[in-house]
Amino acid sequence: MINIAIFVSGGGTNCENLIRYFKGSDSVNCALVVSNKADAYALVRAEKLGVPTAVAPKVELNDEQVMMPLLKKYGIDFIVLAGFLPLVPDFLINAFPRRIINIHPALLPKYGGKGMWGHHVHEAVKAAGETETGMTVHYVTPVCDSGEIIAQYKTQLSPNDSVDDIAEKEHLLEMEYYPKVVEQVLKDTF
């Protein structure tokens, strides 16, 4: 059984989608949900689905003596970021080489990097007049949004699409494809 930890910061729709996707799997277990925010609704979603949760504010997230024992306690083999905003500390990247992946709400390398998350990305896509957007799944490295791209999925945009329309179109891609990409990466890794 591969134990995954899902790292979140917000509402947790992708987190819940991943938990439901792997529920009953004979090879993948969503063993832990970690948030840097105590009030992240993702924690409520995880608890309702019977997945243990932990809160790791910035100080704890960046403390190897806190995070490594926590992940060891749950036998974590792989980390999936699902709307997790802080940079992942180097010690975690070193402890989980090519075993931490992230989802980004744009077609990297466009619209990535510091400050480019959530609505900020969709606003930038709209302002640039893009005719398409999409989602990118990539490996996590010490440089924000610069890891090797694993998969990208695109959706067409209309000049009439609002920022909210763009966000909704991109989110539909996340819900459909992110669990499948995670599953494939796990198969390829283990």
Side-chain angles (χ1 to χ4, degrees):
M1 184 69 73
I2 302 163
N3 288 319
I4 66 170
I6 304 171
F7 282 33
V8 297
S9 292
T13 54
N14 273 306
C15 175
E16 180 176 343
N17 194 32
L18 287 162
I19 293 168
R20 289 186 183 283
Y21 186 85
F22 289 114
K23 200 81 160 167
S25 169
D26 58 4
S27 60
V28 179
N29 175 40
C30 295
L32 179 66
V33 171
V34 177
S35 179
N36 61 307
K37 297 181 177 184
D39 63 348
Y41 192 70
L43 297 172
V44 174
R45 291 178 192 267
E47 288 167 359
K48 284 181 179 178
L49 293 169
V51 177
T53 63
V55 177
K58 188 174 185 178
V59 171
E60 292 179 15
L61 175 68
N62 290 308
D63 186 341
E64 188 170 357
Q65 303 308 313
V66 172
M67 292 306 294
M68 293 310 293
L70 174 65
L71 298 175
K72 186 175 182 176
K73 175 182 175 183
Y74 289 93
I76 301 303
D77 302 301
F78 199 91
I79 298 171
V80 177
L81 307 186
F84 187 67
L85 300 181
L87 286 176
V88 176
D90 288 351
F91 71 83
L92 277 180
I93 294 169
N94 293 334
F96 292 88
R98 290 180 66 83
R99 289 185 288 137
I100 306 175
I101 62 173
N102 187 30
I103 187 169
H104 187 77
L107 297 170
L108 291 175
K110 288 183 175 183
Y111 311 109
K114 187 172 174 61
M116 284 306 222
W117 54 272
H119 247 60
H120 303 290
V121 173
H122 306 306
E123 289 166 356
V125 167
K126 174 71 175 171
E130 295 285 356
T131 58
E132 67 180 8
T133 191
M135 60 165 271
T136 302
V137 181
H138 63 92
Y139 288 104
V140 173
T141 65
V143 179
C144 183
D145 295 333
S146 69
E148 177 188 340
I149 292 172
I150 298 164
Q152 290 186 312
Y153 297 92
K154 299 176 182 179
T155 186
Q156 295 303 305
L157 299 178
S158 148
N160 299 326
D161 284 338
S162 68
V163 172
D164 288 340
D165 294 335
I166 293 169
E168 179 60 27
K169 286 181 174 184
E170 187 277 329
H171 189 67
L172 289 172
L173 294 176
E174 292 179 3
M175 299 305 282
E176 181 175 354
Y177 293 110
Y178 198 30
K180 295 172 187 173
V181 173
V182 171
E183 183 175 46
Q184 188 58 54
V185 170
L186 293 173
K187 284 180 182 174
D188 293 346
T189 304
F190 293 96

